Amino acid sequence: MLACCLGLFTASLRAQPEPEAEVSPVVVPRAGAVVSADASFAGRRVTTWQQDETEYLLLEGDAVYRMGAYVFRASQALVRIETEARDPEPIRHLAIYLDDARSPRGVDREAVSAEADQLLVTGSTTGPIKLAADRLVRADAPPADPLVAAGLERIARYDTARQAPQRAQDPPRPSVTAEISVAVETGPTPPTGPTPADAPPSPDGDDAAGSDVPASADPVLPTTGTVRFTADRVVFDREPEQSVLMLIGNVRLFYEDAEQVRSVVLQAERAVVFLEPDVDEAAAGAAFGAGEVTGIYLEDNIVITDGDFTLRAPRIFYDLARDQAVVLDAVLYTWDVQRQVPLYMRAEAVRQTSRTSFEASGALLSTSEFAQPHFAIGANRVTLGMGVDERGVMRQRFSASHTTLRVGEVPVFYWPYLAAETRDLPLRAIAGGQSRARGFEVETEWDVLALAGVEAPDGVDMTGKLDYRGDSGPGLGGELDYDLEGTHGRVEGYLLPIDSANDRVGDRERIDHDDDTRGFIHAQHRQVLPDNWYADVELAYVSDEMFLESFFSSEAYNAKPYQSSLYLRKQESEWAADLWVSGQLTDFTEQLTTLQSPGFQVERMPELGYFRTGTSLLDDRLTWYSENRFSRVRADFGRDTPGDRGFDDEMAQALFGIDSDVRFRDAAADAGFPRDWRLRVDTRQEITMPLEAGPVHLTPYAVGRVTGYDDDFEAYAGEEEQFRLWGSLGLRMSTQLHRRYDTIESPLLNINRLRHIIEPSIDLFLIGSTVDAGDLPPYDRDIEAIGDGSGVRLGLRQTFQTQRGGPGRWRSVDWLTLQTDFVFRSRDGDRPREPIARYFDYRPEYALGGDHFYSRALWMVSDTLGVTGELTYDFQDNRVSQWRVGASLDHTPRLTSFVQYRDIQPIDSRLFSYGFTYQLTTKYTFSFAHRLDLRENESRNIDLWLERRLPRARLRILASFDQVDDEQVFGVVLAPEGFITDNPFGLGGRAW
């Protein structure tokens, strides 16, 4: 049949006249699945009206409709918006009837679209409705426009065909008109919505790769419904075994199957349609039944789309008797909803075996629209399946054999078999660079499940690391993240099998390694249990003291303290109970921040707790809070020394008060810190009484606390008491005042009217204890280290609000926010001095330091410039203990910058930082950051990176110069778009 197609073109053109082509409405259905994309409309003039809780829009003058990957333009359009009340958010059912629909232009050239004299498009979304118009007219009745009558009649026929349920039985619906924002623009440019978002409805697709998307028996083209067509020239030829329809010039074939809510648009320069032999010329005048088509041959500039995919090729043949299509030199386009990136499959030959499944040979998979992509997967054979999962999200899954990872035309990696969703490209990122500490390094991150050919369940992501760490040798690692129903967690780990390098952080001594096996593992898991119980399980192990600081600095300095523990908790409305068991698998403290304070980890075997939160008493006159714990605790000091971390004697004395060769455990024993297990009982009871005195809120409260131990602490601080009685009385007062200044305007300060909100507050507290905080070992800071004495906090929060945006777009913003606190405390009790004072209004006993002043400010000078500052003044030392000021500025959409200064007097630290990010071109972005130590009058570190945006990938060149660690790092990162982050690697021990 393929061989006769070109001959039929030539012979029939000589024999047949050229009939007039008739254009009919076409349906591009989208209403089968609910998506979450923005739906945006634009037109020079827009008329809106409402009938029976249904909203209508008439767009006139270059009408545009956009939702996700779909963009439609027309001279006029009628829009019907029905809102269905659903939890957690309403659903908008859209029907758009377009007059003189045409394909988008310019930047929308890759969008999915269709062309026709009249076109009907439908869709359902939970996203917002956006509208851009030069002029908006609100009407009480439909305008007397022929398009309105034609559009309403066509939408009614579509509803009848779909046998839509009566919406009169639905719950009351909110109005849409109030949610449509109108932006007055200089032209009819449509609003920019998200790039192709949620895919349109599609029946479940065939998935040859074993996806949970169920297989489908849907044919490659609809077998029911109507086929309509347009062309510059139409030729009909009837033969004994078949009828043949030849279409020449600007061919459009429209498959419309209202029963299955499906349509397909086929475009080409030439086409041959093979029909059943009983179809005569009259029956095939401008439309015929889909079941009467036995085959279609298309040629030149072919574009085929059904809303789920777009297929481009020079030649395609549909053999409908065998229900398959053969495509040569094909380009298949679809969209990954979850990662918001496209997928292109280019192949020498493609066989379509069902509506949503394709088999290809000599294929290239990429996220780039370029014919020669920068980053792609090549394969001898690929099977691609698409379908909608149970949540209505379009899923695409592929399997590929004999695959190669290609950078440009160069294969850099081979794998015999891949099977994954299209978003799960096997290589997540690759980075390489030169580190002074270890030499040349290469780090790669891979999708483990994709490489194994195993489908990743929803909510599961597993990555592996295969690295070369210079003198430290090869490195292996991985990370598993999962968020499933009733459970979530994370497991990460890394291993250096043979490390012969040395560790050196800052100006510390060098720590050498001789073929050492090093690494870490950290696992966290939460399981929801019946009857409002849940369990948290954590496991942590690190091979040595320097590993985290050298290779995972963010874990060493910023992560929560590592521990191995089991935590069970039952939570009800007003009470909770828990069980906590924790210990250490290492004989040292893993993170340096924990080592500095408090200097040890606390083991609990076990700790039982019972809590009440806000229990009402006496008809809401009083509120009761209760905390009760029974614990068996022990302080676990490490067997390591400061020298094991590279600290010399001077540093060890300054930081820890011991020499570099003294074990932390021995130092604690010499200080009398108890190393045995201690039983501890602690109960805290609080009663508050909220009152109102006009505009003033008053909350007096009383707290009582008893803490007991099974032994005293005479060896630690000479304290022979085994019980501590602790109590507190206090009063919190607050109110709010405000005043408006409608006449204040200042273009210079970007002020249009002003509203001043004043919120004064006062805290009075009196705390007493039978045992000083310094006489108890601080197992838990919020139990043993709580303070005593009396004090007052005088606080004032001021907020200045103004309006910005312009007529029709006014919005309120906090122009200036200023918080000031004066804290005065008695010198009762033996509290240890704190370098920087802090006050916690919810628990005054947690307060640090003595009398002080604290202030924090945020000034939004404009929508692009923000300034922030903070200051603490210590009245006891008569000095500013810390202050900082910073600003960020968006100079232009392409240039942003920041500057910050921080001064911390107790440690004599004065740091000045500044930097900027500049988008040089649409493809290149440059960033620079510099930190200066003004106390030492030297540069601490400089970070630079240059990013090249490739089609659907990002190439980043990195450089860092760290004066403190005496480290220089140069690197390169390459990753597909959707996977790279601002800090994808810890190249050379740094976080990027």
Side-chain angles (χ1 to χ4, degrees):
M1 187 177 290
L2 271 171
C4 71
C5 291
L6 294 179
L8 284 171
F9 269 124
T10 305
S12 299
L13 283 175
R14 289 196 299 265
Q16 298 294 332
E18 180 179 344
E20 288 190 11
E22 178 183 348
V23 179
S24 300
V26 179
V27 178
V28 181
R30 287 180 52 88
V34 178
V35 300
S36 59
D38 295 359
S40 61
F41 301 94
R44 290 192 176 95
R45 174 188 170 98
V46 177
T47 305
T48 70
W49 70 95
Q50 182 172 337
Q51 286 184 337
D52 298 328
E53 298 182 347
T54 299
E55 306 288 331
Y56 291 91
L57 308 174
L58 176 60
L59 313 177
E60 300 175 87
D62 197 12
V64 178
Y65 161 59
R66 179 193 301 265
M67 184 156 70
Y70 298 83
V71 180
F72 299 90
R73 291 179 179 270
S75 58
Q76 286 184 286
L78 173 70
V79 182
R80 182 186 72 179
I81 306 174
E82 294 184 305
T83 303
E84 179 181 356
R86 288 283 185 90
D87 289 331
E89 49 194 353
I91 301 173
R92 319 292 191 198
H93 298 283
L94 310 176
I96 305 96
Y97 183 74
L98 301 109
D99 183 44
D100 189 22
R102 56 195 182 277
S103 297
R105 306 181 300 272
V107 296
D108 294 326
R109 61 185 182 276
E110 294 296 334
V112 179
S113 187
E115 295 186 359
D117 283 0
Q118 290 83 36
L119 183 68
L120 178 64
V121 181
T122 64
S124 297
T125 181
T126 58
I129 307 295
K130 299 181 178 179
L131 180 65
D134 291 344
R135 182 182 179 188
L136 179 66
V137 178
R138 301 186 183 275
D140 297 329
D145 191 298
L147 179 71
V148 175
L152 292 175
E153 188 274 335
R154 183 63 186 90
I155 294 173
R157 286 195 291 112
Y158 175 74
D159 288 342
T160 302
R162 294 185 66 245
Q163 297 180 348
Q166 294 296 324
R167 296 202 180 275
Q169 300 173 2
D170 289 348
R173 303 183 294 266
S175 172
V176 177
T177 303
E179 302 177 26
I180 296 179
S181 60
V182 179
V184 179
E185 303 179 357
T186 58
T189 304
T192 302
T195 51
D198 306 42
S202 170
D204 296 332
D206 175 50
D207 189 330
S211 168
D212 62 354
V213 180
S216 171
D218 284 345
V220 294
L221 290 175
T223 57
T224 60
T226 304
V227 181
R228 306 179 186 274
F229 64 87
T230 66
D232 294 342
R233 189 172 182 183
V234 180
V235 179
F236 180 82
D237 184 19
R238 186 168 187 176
E239 299 179 356
E241 297 182 355
Q242 63 186 356
S243 297
V244 180
L245 186 68
M246 278 148 289
L247 309 174
I248 301 95
N250 296 316
V251 177
R252 302 290 188 273
L253 283 165
F254 305 105
Y255 269 82
E256 178 184 353
D257 187 351
E259 181 179 346
Q260 295 185 11
V261 196
R262 180 187 177 191
S263 72
V264 183
V265 180
L266 302 92
Q267 305 179 27
E269 286 300 313
R270 294 178 296 277
V272 179
V273 182
F274 300 90
L275 305 169
E276 296 287 351
D278 57 349
V279 178
D280 56 24
E281 182 176 359
F288 40 84
E292 297 173 327
V293 182
T294 61
I296 300 176
Y297 174 78
L298 302 168
E299 189 176 78
D300 284 353
N301 299 325
I302 299 169
V303 179
I304 299 173
T305 182
D306 73 344
D308 294 332
F309 66 88
T310 299
L311 186 62
R312 301 175 185 271
R315 295 180 301 279
I316 296 178
F317 177 67
Y318 284 93
D319 187 347
L320 300 182
R322 297 182 180 180
D323 192 28
Q324 66 178 10
V326 178
V327 189
L328 303 179
D329 296 329
V331 178
L332 179 67
Y333 166 88
T334 185
W335 186 259
D336 178 0
V337 176
Q338 295 182 344
R339 285 212 183 267
Q340 295 292 286
V341 294
L343 174 73
Y344 289 88
M345 182 176 72
R346 295 169 173 83
E348 298 171 356
V350 174
R351 185 169 67 93
Q352 185 178 1
T353 56
S354 76
R355 175 185 177 185
T356 53
S357 63
F358 301 84
E359 297 177 0
S361 59
L364 201 66
L365 291 170
S366 76
T367 57
S368 170
E369 63 272 18
F370 282 18
Q372 181 57 57
H374 294 77
F375 186 88
I377 295 175
N380 285 1
R381 187 173 181 83
V382 173
T383 299
L384 177 66
M386 296 177 286
V388 177
D389 64 13
E390 65 278 0
R391 298 175 301 171
V393 176
M394 173 59 63
R395 302 268 296 277
Q396 304 95 18
R397 182 168 174 79
F398 74 94
S399 63
S401 59
H402 298 292
T403 62
T404 56
L405 179 67
R406 301 185 184 183
V407 178
E409 298 182 358
V410 180
V412 297
F413 180 79
Y414 171 81
W415 196 257
Y417 179 75
L418 289 176
E421 291 192 39
T422 56
R423 65 188 180 94
D424 298 326
L425 299 178
L427 179 61
R428 295 291 178 84
I430 180 170
Q434 182 74 22
S435 166
R436 180 180 178 275
R438 284 178 291 274
F440 180 72
E441 299 183 65
V442 178
E443 301 179 47
T444 63
E445 186 173 305
W446 301 85
D447 188 314
V448 175
L449 297 178
L451 291 176
V454 177
E455 180 186 1
D458 288 341
V460 177
D461 186 49
M462 186 175 183
T463 59
K465 296 178 183 294
L466 179 61
D467 305 333
Y468 175 72
R469 306 305 294 260
D471 294 340
S472 295
L476 302 172
E479 182 177 314
L480 171 64
D481 288 281
Y482 54 94
D483 188 0
L484 307 173
E485 183 177 0
T487 182
H488 64 269
R490 182 184 185 189
V491 181
E492 60 179 331
Y494 198 81
L495 175 67
L496 291 173
I498 305 174
D499 189 355
S500 300
N502 59 75
D503 295 329
R504 185 173 183 179
V505 178
D507 53 356
R508 301 189 220 167
E509 299 293 332
R510 187 178 67 184
I511 305 297
D512 295 322
H513 298 278
D514 184 13
D515 293 342
D516 295 339
T517 299
R518 310 176 66 196
F520 87 106
I521 184 171
H522 187 208
Q524 296 171 291
H525 172 81
R526 168 166 289 188
Q527 183 69 48
V528 178
L529 303 173
D531 198 25
N532 294 329
W533 282 90
Y534 69 84
D536 288 343
V537 181
E538 183 173 356
L539 174 70
Y541 175 79
V542 184
S543 61
D544 57 84
E545 299 88 345
M546 293 295 293
F547 182 81
L548 290 181
E549 282 195 84
S550 298
F551 294 94
F552 296 88
S553 57
S554 62
E555 292 292 312
Y557 303 138
N558 303 323
K560 65 177 289 293
Y562 278 14
Q563 62 180 356
S564 296
S565 64
L566 169 65
Y567 181 75
L568 295 173
R569 185 177 180 90
K570 179 180 176 64
Q571 180 75 53
E572 296 293 346
S573 59
E574 294 183 355
W575 64 272
D578 61 22
L579 166 67
W580 191 4
V581 178
S582 67
Q584 297 299 115
L585 298 181
T586 61
D587 57 2
F588 58 87
T589 301
E590 294 90 343
Q591 287 120 323
L592 187 61
T593 50
T594 305
L595 184 62
Q596 290 177 301
S597 178
F600 57 87
Q601 292 275 38
V602 177
E603 296 182 309
R604 307 168 195 273
M605 296 287 179
E607 180 171 285
L608 301 174
Y610 177 79
F611 311 89
R612 298 199 69 89
T613 56
T615 301
S616 175
L617 302 176
L618 301 178
D619 296 330
D620 294 336
R621 292 184 178 88
L622 301 176
T623 305
W624 172 40
Y625 301 88
S626 177
E627 298 179 8
N628 309 274
R629 296 180 180 89
F630 174 79
S631 313
R632 183 171 176 262
V633 296
R634 181 178 68 175
D636 183 23
F637 289 88
R639 292 187 174 92
D640 60 320
T641 69
D644 294 333
R645 300 175 187 262
F647 294 105
D648 58 23
D649 286 341
E650 183 181 354
M651 295 179 184
Q653 284 289 345
L655 289 173
F656 310 112
I658 58 177
D659 289 335
S660 61
D661 58 351
V662 176
R663 294 186 177 187
F664 291 103
R665 179 168 295 184
D666 295 340
D670 293 342
F673 201 107
R675 294 176 51 192
D676 58 338
W677 289 95
R678 292 295 176 98
L679 293 178
R680 180 184 66 188
V681 178
D682 178 70
T683 178
R684 182 186 188 276
Q685 311 297 321
E686 178 178 351
I687 296 291
T688 65
M689 184 171 62
L691 301 172
E692 300 289 339
V696 180
H697 306 287
L698 303 173
T699 306
Y701 62 90
V703 184
R705 189 163 201 159
V706 178
T707 308
Y709 304 86
D710 64 338
D711 200 354
D712 60 35
F713 301 103
E714 184 177 3
Y716 174 69
E719 181 56 60
E720 299 181 358
E721 292 290 336
Q722 295 179 236
F723 288 89
R724 180 194 65 185
L725 303 180
W726 182 97
S728 174
L729 296 174
L731 173 65
R732 302 185 182 98
M733 297 181 289
S734 64
T735 188
Q736 184 182 97
L737 308 171
H738 63 87
R739 183 174 180 181
R740 292 174 52 180
Y741 303 90
D742 294 335
T743 60
I744 294 181
E745 291 189 15
S746 173
L748 177 63
L749 299 176
N750 202 358
I751 295 176
N752 182 73
R753 306 167 65 186
L754 203 63
R755 184 169 185 252
H756 186 192
I757 303 173
I758 304 174
E759 299 173 276
S761 61
I762 301 176
D763 288 355
L764 302 171
F765 57 91
L766 174 63
I767 305 173
S769 176
T770 60
V771 177
D772 291 336
D775 293 342
L776 298 176
Y779 296 110
D780 293 290
R781 187 175 185 88
D782 59 350
I783 296 180
E784 280 83 13
I786 56 177
D788 57 1
S790 59
V792 59
R793 180 192 69 91
L794 306 175
L796 182 65
R797 178 182 175 88
Q798 300 183 75
T799 304
F800 296 86
Q801 295 180 337
T802 189
Q803 287 188 323
R804 290 175 180 167
R809 297 178 286 114
W810 290 116
R811 68 188 188 282
S812 295
V813 297
D814 291 346
W815 176 65
L816 175 63
T817 302
L818 178 63
Q819 174 74 43
T820 55
D821 287 326
F822 287 90
V823 179
F824 300 97
R825 303 183 62 185
S826 69
R827 290 175 172 79
D828 299 338
D830 186 17
R831 297 188 307 274
R833 291 296 305 274
E834 298 289 345
I836 300 177
R838 288 294 304 274
Y839 178 80
F840 304 96
D841 52 2
Y842 64 98
R843 291 281 178 92
E845 61 265 31
Y846 294 166
L848 306 176
D851 302 345
H852 68 277
F853 167 78
Y854 174 78
S855 180
R856 183 178 67 248
L858 174 62
W859 179 22
M860 291 303 300
V861 183
S862 68
D863 291 342
T864 58
L865 174 61
V867 179
T868 182
E870 184 182 37
L871 179 144
T872 303
Y873 185 88
D874 194 318
F875 291 119
Q876 293 180 247
D877 293 334
N878 292 319
R879 68 176 184 179
V880 176
S881 56
Q882 70 88 23
W883 68 279
R884 67 178 178 89
V885 63
S888 63
L889 174 62
D890 295 337
H891 302 266
T892 69
R894 299 172 58 180
L895 176 62
T896 62
S897 64
F898 76 92
V899 61
Q900 184 183 72
Y901 176 77
R902 178 184 291 270
D903 188 312
I904 306 177
Q905 286 292 329
I907 59 175
D908 196 17
S909 174
R910 298 191 296 275
L911 299 178
F912 178 74
S913 304
Y914 67 97
F916 65 87
T917 298
Y918 182 55
Q919 185 177 347
L920 302 171
T921 67
T922 56
K923 295 182 179 180
Y924 288 92
T925 302
F926 178 72
S927 284
F928 169 84
H930 187 196
R931 177 176 292 182
L932 297 165
D933 189 332
L934 301 184
R935 180 178 67 88
E936 299 291 340
N937 195 26
E938 65 179 11
S939 173
R940 296 198 64 170
N941 63 277
I942 300 175
D943 294 329
L944 308 97
W945 58 261
L946 177 67
E947 181 176 283
R948 167 70 157 90
R949 289 185 177 272
L950 305 173
R952 305 300 174 183
R954 292 161 67 182
L955 176 68
R956 184 174 291 179
I957 301 172
L958 316 165
S960 176
F961 307 91
D962 194 319
Q963 190 72 25
V964 176
D965 290 345
D966 192 19
E967 177 77 290
Q968 296 86 42
V969 178
F970 300 90
V972 177
V973 177
L974 175 66
E977 194 164 288
F979 295 101
I980 195 171
T981 64
D982 286 338
N983 300 295
F985 282 106
L987 185 65
R990 299 192 55 80
W992 292 99

